[in-house]
Amino acid sequence: MGQAGQSVGARGFLSEKGEILLWSTTSGKEEGKMAQNVIVYTQTTCGPCQEEKMWLTQHNIPFEDRDIRKNEAYFQEAINLGASMTPVTWIKKENGEEVVIHGFDKEQIKKALDLS
């Protein structure tokens, strides 16, 4: 096992607890497309959260996983985005447009990330 803060591949690093955390610079669709940031607010016990993270990973869409039960600041961020449930997905496009998706909605995510 690596040390906290150690890079894991091109898109991740290890947390202090040994979890692999991911970040995003592109949508994963094609090189040359607009850079995008994807943050998913989750809980360990949330089935749809786990499904969304697996789906994003399977589609090579980098994202940052923010567990609202492990970090009070993440919990407050999710509340500020209007969360009443998880997952909450926040997407910021290169053009500055921000999209918030409540619940795991593949079609809304595809639309927000300009995926076919």
Side-chain angles (χ1 to χ4, degrees):
M1 182 69 67
Q3 303 232 352
Q6 176 183 349
S7 290
V8 178
R11 299 186 326 235
F13 64 95
L14 290 175
S15 72
E16 291 180 15
K17 295 181 180 181
E19 301 164 313
I20 296 176
L21 305 176
L22 304 173
W23 65 85
S24 170
T25 55
T26 63
S27 70
K29 183 178 179 186
E30 300 173 20
E31 288 223 15
K33 286 288 183 185
M34 301 170 102
Q36 301 183 60
N37 292 315
V38 179
I39 298 173
V40 183
Y41 294 89
T42 66
Q43 301 179 68
T44 306
T45 58
C46 167
C49 297
Q50 306 315 313
E51 289 178 42
E52 179 171 340
K53 292 188 293 184
M54 190 172 5
W55 184 86
L56 290 168
T57 300
Q58 288 171 345
H59 288 83
N60 298 315
I61 300 168
F63 63 95
E64 181 181 343
D65 180 9
R66 293 190 177 179
D67 189 321
I68 66 170
R69 296 293 177 201
K70 294 180 181 176
N71 186 314
E72 179 66 25
Y74 294 164
F75 178 78
Q76 289 303 316
E77 289 173 15
I79 295 297
N80 291 341
L81 291 172
S84 61
M85 62 182 206
T86 53
V88 175
T89 306
W90 177 84
I91 299 168
K92 183 171 184 179
K93 298 183 178 191
E94 186 177 75
N95 66 4
E97 180 185 357
E98 296 182 7
V99 179
V100 178
I101 301 167
H102 298 274
F104 177 32
D105 186 327
K106 292 177 198 174
E107 295 308 313
Q108 282 190 0
I109 294 170
K110 286 180 184 179
K111 183 178 177 183
L113 294 173
D114 298 321
L115 303 174
S116 302

